Amino acid sequence: MSKEIGVDNSIDPFFIKNKGKPYLIWGSFHGIYGVELSKDGLHVKGNKFQIGGNDYEGSFIYKRGHYYYYFGSTGSCCAGEKSTYEVKVARSSTFKGPYVNKQGKTLLENGGTLLLEKNPDLEGFIGPGHNGDLITDKAGLTWMVYHAFVRKEPVRRVMLLDKIDWIDGWPVIDKAQPTFKPHDCPVFP
C-alpha cells in the first residue's frame, strides 16, 4: 500500500466509522494519514488527508462529547530497556483536524500532550504505548489497553490496562505512568 498511496512506512492501520462513513487511519514516522473507504471497506474512496507529523505511530481516534481525541505513540517502541515510547494526545472539533495539544500546537507540527510515559523507578514499566483500544465500561469510566516492557529480568513486553480520567476536557492517566500495583478494573455487565 505504501507505493500505491504515496506514504512511506504505511503501518499501524486503525479503522473507524465517522458519521456512518468508514475510514482508515495509518502511518509511522512519515506522517499520519487518513482516507475514506468504500462502504464495504475494501477500496479507497477519495484522496488521503494528513492528520499528524512525523513523530507518531500507533494511531487511535476516540470521540467524546464535542471532540475527537487522537492518541498516538512517539519514541522507540522496541528497544527493550532502552525504549523511549510514550503516548501523547491531541484533540479536534472535527474528525479530519486540525488536532491540537493543550498549548495549541498542531499534531501536524508534532504537537501532543503527554498522557503516558515510563515509570521512573526500577520496579515499573518502560516504553508504554501503542494503545490498542479505549473502552468505556458500564460505570461510564474510560480504560486504555496498551503495551510496555517489564523492567525485571527477563525484559519482556506485556499488555496493560489503565483508567483514563477526564479533566477539563482532556484525558489524564494518574501520574502519567503505568499503574504498577493492582488497581480497580472495568465494570462490565
Side-chain angles (χ1 to χ4, degrees):
M1 181 176 168
S2 290
K3 289 183 181 181
E4 293 172 18
I5 202 147
V7 177
D8 288 336
N9 207 20
S10 285
I11 65 169
D12 296 343
F14 170 70
F15 175 82
I16 185 172
K17 276 195 171 184
N18 182 55
K19 299 182 180 176
K21 295 179 182 179
Y23 288 88
L24 181 67
I25 309 297
W26 82 97
S28 177
F29 305 123
H30 291 276
I32 300 298
Y33 294 87
V35 68
E36 185 178 346
L37 301 174
S38 59
K39 285 189 178 188
D40 63 8
L42 299 176
H43 305 283
V44 170
K45 180 179 176 183
N47 296 320
K48 69 181 183 280
F49 53 92
Q50 190 168 0
I51 291 177
N54 297 332
D55 281 357
Y56 286 91
E57 67 177 17
S59 300
F60 193 96
I61 296 177
Y62 183 76
K63 177 81 163 76
R64 179 179 165 90
H66 299 293
Y67 290 104
Y68 294 88
Y69 292 86
Y70 174 88
F71 294 79
S73 298
T74 64
S76 64
C77 69
C78 308
E81 291 184 63
K82 295 180 182 177
S83 293
T84 59
Y85 230 27
E86 58 189 17
V87 177
K88 293 183 180 177
V89 66
R91 72 181 188 187
S92 175
S93 57
T94 63
F95 174 67
K96 293 182 181 179
Y99 288 83
V100 297
N101 66 10
K102 284 185 178 180
Q103 292 74 36
K105 188 174 181 181
T106 70
L107 205 57
L108 289 166
E109 301 170 292
N110 295 315
T113 299
L114 181 67
L115 177 68
L116 187 64
E117 64 183 342
K118 71 180 179 182
N119 296 108
D121 60 18
L122 297 176
E123 292 293 316
F125 298 97
I126 308 162
H130 213 291
N131 43 287
D133 204 355
L134 269 72
I135 303 160
T136 302
D137 71 7
K138 186 178 177 183
L141 301 174
T142 308
W143 300 83
M144 184 171 82
V145 178
Y146 61 97
H147 66 65
F149 286 98
V150 178
R151 286 186 190 253
K152 294 181 179 180
E153 292 292 330
V155 175
R156 66 193 187 288
R157 192 180 295 172
V158 296
M159 185 174 79
L160 299 171
L161 173 76
D162 269 301
K163 185 174 73 148
I164 292 179
D165 293 311
W166 295 90
I167 300 173
D168 297 327
W170 287 93
V172 175
I173 290 179
D174 187 38
K175 299 178 187 169
Q177 298 171 13
T179 303
F180 186 65
K181 297 180 180 177
H183 58 81
D184 293 338
C185 60
V187 177
F188 292 110

